[in-house]
Amino acid sequence: MFARASAVVFLPQCGQVRSMATLKDITIRLKAVKNIQKITKSMKMVAAAKYARAEKSLKPARVYGTGALSLYEKADIKAPEDKNKHLLIGVSSDRGLCGAIHSSVAKAIKSEIAKLAGAGKEVMVVNIGDKLRGLLYRTHGNHILINCKEVGRKPPTFTDASIIATELLDSGYEFDQGTIIYNRFKSVISYKTDEKPVYSMDTVANSENMGVYDDIDADVLRNYQEFALVNIIYYGLKESATSEQSARMTAMDSASKNASEMIDKLTLTFNRTRQAVITKELIEIISGAAAL
Amino acid sequence: MMAARILLRRAAPALRQVRFYAEAASASPQMSFTFASPNEVFFKEASVRQVDVPTLTGAFGILPAHVPTLQVLRPGVVTVFSEDGSSAKYFVSSGSVTVNADSSVQLLAEEAVPLESLDLATAKANLEKAQSELVGASDEVSRAEVQISIEANEAIVKALE
């Protein structure tokens, strides 16, 4: 029985023998790569158009966002260290093929969760964008509070930000301190994953410098804080959208370039193969004629 | 003589407790005025003379070295008086205004348009439509929406007349 088994096992294991790629194989591959190049080139043009529009609307959004954050900077509001409930808002989008946009935000969120959970604090995450959910739900699924879909198809508006903020406030998670993690747009070829703080009403009300501000009652402060939350989310959405379009533009551009390179190489191989086939046929004919 | 000097010395601290008037606001603080909506920036760190804002607690004017405050806006007209005396009016729907200690003012409006671009007839028609909807509105949310619409349209009509 063992002899038979070992006889069966002893099959000649040829290593990888590459037969000469036929003309047909190369033609098929060449056609496929040319199609891919067309697609990536058109995706790059679409991303370029969307980027131009996003960048134009980013300018007022930046003034708006920095205006909204200036209170916290000028009044030097800092969250007390011993607070336990944290909130992370991660801004990305639904679509891929844009380089490291989603993974950089996910990486920042993961390291923040590790740091805060290690210090014993409670952390919940708001995902804006389906890609972020996909990156986080397997390992940190129990930290996810809200998921937002249909992000990135159209340019973000103030209404979108207010819907997200309303969901967050209605969820009932009374966070003490929060951070919004987004991709700040630096230039066409570069962006940076950045964080901005989000303060809860209690933190702002109890901060020492708030006494400077005159005539504030709880109602006004609550309205002000809710509006500020929407503003910060809007600012993060706008910056991330612009970064995403510029990253997609560069990614598709390099994909088109790579595809062009492959086309050149394949064309050369094709011509060489074609000449080799013709030579072979000629040799056969000549040797056949010589044999007569 | 020594006694007089001691008396003087003892009197001096008493003199120091005399109350002085508050120091006049130093001449320098220029108001750094930023007025923006999510889609448009009207003023960015501009230096203006006065800004009148409509807030939930009433309308007030902000001059340089105004006491720091935070307020929430109501639908109404914002008037900006610039350095050369000219004034510009804008209609804002809602938003917030922040006056900081360093005399910078951030006016963030959810929607803001120059008053000239609003049409009185359309505003009146909208107001009447909203008032008639109020009768039909049944649940809390739609009542609130209709009342917001009425308030905004009333403010527009008042501003344009």
Side-chain angles (χ1 to χ4, degrees), chain A residues 57 59-61 63-64 66-68 70-71 74-75 158 162 204 210 212-217 219-221 223-224 227 231 234 238, chain B residues 34 36-41 43-44 56-57 67-72 94-102 104 106-110:
Chain A
S57 73
K59 275 207 221 82
V63 174
Y64 195 74
T66 44
S70 70
L71 164 70
K74 297 210 172 160
F158 195 78
S162 77
V204 173
M210 281 313 285
V212 174
Y213 290 87
D214 181 47
D215 187 31
I216 298 178
D217 57 7
D219 224 7
V220 167
L221 190 59
N223 285 334
Y224 187 87
F227 190 63
N231 290 344
Y234 175 72
K238 277 285 184 194
Chain B
T34 306
S37 75
N39 306 317
E40 208 179 328
V41 175
F43 291 87
K44 181 178 166 180
L56 282 181
T57 52
V67 62
T69 182
L70 305 175
Q71 292 293 345
V72 173
S94 61
S96 69
V97 61
T98 313
V99 184
N100 299 112
D102 61 355
S104 61
Q106 283 87 29
L107 181 62
L108 303 171
E110 191 163 339

Side-chain angles (χ1 to χ4, degrees), chain A residues 28-136:
Chain A
I28 291 172
R29 199 165 151 87
L30 201 53
K31 212 165 80 157
V33 179
K34 277 191 182 153
N35 271 340
I36 289 178
Q37 198 220 17
K38 278 200 198 108
I39 293 172
T40 51
K41 208 157 123 193
S42 67
M43 281 186 77
K44 174 189 157 201
M45 312 260 261
V46 168
K50 288 192 176 168
Y51 158 74
R53 196 153 31 114
E55 212 224 335
K56 215 163 57 147
S57 73
L58 181 64
K59 275 207 221 82
R62 255 194 188 157
V63 174
Y64 195 74
T66 44
L69 290 164
S70 70
L71 164 70
Y72 304 118
E73 289 159 17
K74 297 210 172 160
D76 208 14
I77 296 183
K78 272 188 262 291
E81 285 301 321
D82 57 345
K83 290 299 179 162
N84 266 348
K85 289 191 162 192
H86 279 254
L87 177 76
L88 296 174
I89 305 178
V91 185
S92 80
S93 84
D94 281 358
R95 290 154 149 208
L97 294 177
C98 46
I101 291 275
H102 309 298
S103 50
S104 59
V105 172
K107 199 164 76 164
I109 290 186
K110 282 181 185 168
S111 72
E112 271 296 311
I113 292 181
K115 197 171 70 173
L116 290 169
K121 318 240 170 125
E122 184 188 336
V123 187
M124 292 301 270
V125 179
V126 172
N127 287 332
I128 301 180
D130 220 23
K131 282 279 172 186
L132 202 54
R133 182 191 68 88
L135 286 169
L136 286 180

Side-chain angles (χ1 to χ4, degrees), chain A residues 41 65 82 145 150 158 184 194 212 242 271 277:
Chain A
K41 208 157 123 193
D82 57 345
L145 183 65
E150 299 292 320
F158 195 78
R184 187 167 56 90
D194 209 5
V212 174
T242 315
N271 285 331
V277 165

Side-chain angles (χ1 to χ4, degrees), chain A residues 249-290:
Chain A
M249 207 167 74
T250 38
M252 290 297 103
D253 186 35
S254 42
S256 312
K257 280 208 191 82
N258 290 342
S260 301
E261 252 176 68
M262 278 178 83
I263 289 174
D264 290 339
K265 276 201 208 129
L266 279 172
T267 312
L268 284 174
T269 320
F270 179 78
N271 285 331
R272 260 187 283 124
T273 314
R274 188 177 51 86
Q275 287 162 358
V277 165
I278 293 174
T279 312
K280 200 167 81 138
E281 282 184 23
L282 277 173
I283 289 176
E284 279 178 13
I285 295 172
I286 292 172
S287 60

